[in-house]
Amino acid sequence: MYRVSRSHNSEFHLPLELLREIIKLLDPAGQRNMMLVAHVVRNQAIEFLFKQLSYSRFSQIQRIHKAREDVKGAIRKLRLSRLTEKADELIILFQFLRTLPNLQSFEYNGFGPSHQMSPFFDSIRHAPLSELIFGTSACPLEDGLPVE
């Protein structure tokens, strides 16, 4: 006997729990393709597609900064490498970091001597970080737990 769960969606004739399990098993390319199938599938796939991001170009930050709140809410791990030293771009970066409510792991490699650490820490203060890794151009990467 087939029982439909409470989270069954009338647009999509598959229990959402089963759909999520299928999406989990796909590689990132397959997850991206699943997003194109239907709105319901896209909403379920966002969590997996945007869970971990790694960027090395500032233009990537500009694009994701314009993303919907559900996309930003899915980001759990973010790794950034030598994006920028320009003050106006750093402001945008810090604004973006403030919009990530569920960020748990953050790595930034590329702080130069001209960067002020205070705006950086202010931009991630809200996040439930369990891992913080950062490096500067003068020092190797440092690993540590966030300090309250």
Side-chain angles (χ1 to χ4, degrees), residues 32-49:
R32 280 191 298 274
N33 288 336
M34 282 291 284
M35 282 185 53
L36 302 175
V37 173
H39 180 72
V40 172
V41 177
R42 181 186 190 284
N43 288 341
Q44 297 300 312
I46 284 174
E47 176 184 339
F48 303 102
L49 284 172

Side-chain angles (χ1 to χ4, degrees), residues 17-72:
E17 293 89 353
L18 183 56
L19 176 62
R20 290 175 55 80
E21 291 302 314
I22 292 168
I23 293 169
K24 272 191 220 179
L25 297 173
L26 297 173
D27 64 3
Q31 290 173 344
R32 280 191 298 274
N33 288 336
M34 282 291 284
M35 282 185 53
L36 302 175
V37 173
H39 180 72
V40 172
V41 177
R42 181 186 190 284
N43 288 341
Q44 297 300 312
I46 284 174
E47 176 184 339
F48 303 102
L49 284 172
F50 294 97
K51 189 175 186 176
Q52 279 187 210
L53 299 176
S54 182
Y55 293 143
S56 59
R57 293 189 316 269
F58 183 72
S59 61
Q60 295 169 306
I61 292 295
Q62 288 177 305
R63 266 196 312 276
I64 195 78
H65 185 38
K66 296 174 186 174
R68 296 181 345 203
E69 286 183 31
D70 59 341
V71 170
K72 292 179 183 179

